[in-house]
Amino acid sequence: MFEHFTPQIYIEDVFALPVGFLKSKGIKALLLDLDNTLTVWHAEKVPQNILSLLRRWEEQGMKLCLLSNNRGKRVEHMAQLLGIAYVKNANKPSKGGYLRACEKLEVLPAQTAMVGDQLLTDVCGANRAGVYPVLVKPIAKREMRWTMYFSRNVEKLIMPRVMQNLKAAEKASALTYTDNSF
Ligand SMILES: [Mg+2]
């Protein structure tokens, strides 16, 4: 149980993303959550170190697309600042947004990883779409009320089982989620 909510990798933040390892798994594209993954919730600006990171990932051959449940113009604005493609109103954890993003980047779901901070949306949707799920710790505690009062509490309840699954998978693949050495 809880397989849908189990990421393949759990890392401190986006800077710890093991791109070389993902490439060795055949991953060619990254779908990126916005709020509390790349920037703080509701940010209108992008930190320079995030911009540099995205350019580095591109140099390493990764195609990038923002995948956000936000509906407003902000997603477009942020994607423009980030210099990457976007899919807004993604309706995560539904599969549709993931598949639209894969189409946009001309990759298959199996060649794609999702990087996000929420089990109930980012990770669950990725597993449903056949995309490789990577969980990051949220940048800050400030977020949408629904997330704060509902999603994070559900996460707390299911996290022990999710971590059990993750540890078992890591044991099987000899990978530890704190291992950034690849
Ligand atoms: Mg988020």
Side-chain angles (χ1 to χ4, degrees):
M1 219 181 145
F2 300 114
E3 283 84 4
H4 271 89
F5 302 106
T6 303
Q8 291 285 334
I9 304 178
Y10 182 24
I11 48 177
E12 191 67 28
D13 55 35
V14 286
F15 296 97
L17 190 73
V19 173
F21 172 77
L22 292 176
K23 281 173 75 173
S24 77
K25 292 242 162 214
I27 302 292
K28 294 176 164 44
L30 302 173
L31 311 184
L32 304 164
D33 173 54
L34 179 60
D35 289 320
N36 266 333
T37 296
L38 289 181
T39 66
V40 291
W41 181 65
H42 248 260
E44 296 280 350
K45 289 181 182 162
V46 179
Q48 187 57 49
N49 58 355
I50 289 291
L51 283 179
S52 309
L53 182 69
L54 298 189
R55 298 296 86 81
R56 202 157 62 236
W57 287 345
E58 284 171 339
E59 280 162 22
Q60 289 171 285
M62 286 290 173
K63 294 179 174 182
L64 307 176
C65 184
L66 204 58
L67 187 68
S68 175
N69 278 357
N70 270 275
R71 288 146 207 262
K73 280 229 158 86
R74 183 172 153 259
V75 181
E76 263 166 89
H77 168 70
M78 293 300 277
Q80 218 166 38
L81 292 183
L82 293 162
I84 62 176
Y86 69 90
V87 168
K88 66 177 184 180
N89 202 3
N91 216 12
K92 293 174 279 185
S94 293
K95 293 193 283 188
Y98 294 78
L99 302 181
R100 285 209 304 280
C102 288
E103 242 170 66
K104 221 171 202 180
L105 298 181
E106 298 179 330
V107 288
L108 298 170
Q111 299 171 313
T112 309
M114 172 75 209
V115 184
D117 69 301
Q118 287 198 52
L119 291 180
L120 302 194
T121 53
D122 304 310
V123 170
C124 179
N127 277 319
R128 296 178 70 192
V131 165
Y132 192 91
V134 178
L135 180 69
V136 297
K137 291 185 182 165
I139 293 175
K141 288 216 168 0
R142 192 168 163 262
E143 50 198 348
M144 210 165 72
R145 271 191 192 172
W146 171 263
T147 310
M148 251 162 59
Y149 296 114
F150 177 75
S151 306
R152 295 301 183 196
N153 282 320
V154 175
E155 280 185 355
K156 264 183 215 156
L157 288 175
I158 65 175
M159 203 48 151
R161 291 300 302 275
V162 165
M163 289 306 290
Q164 253 176 22
N165 287 349
L166 183 62
K167 288 263 171 351
E170 282 171 353
K171 220 173 177 180
S173 67
L175 169 79
T176 61
Y177 71 83
T178 49
D179 186 355
N180 309 316
S181 58
F182 20 77

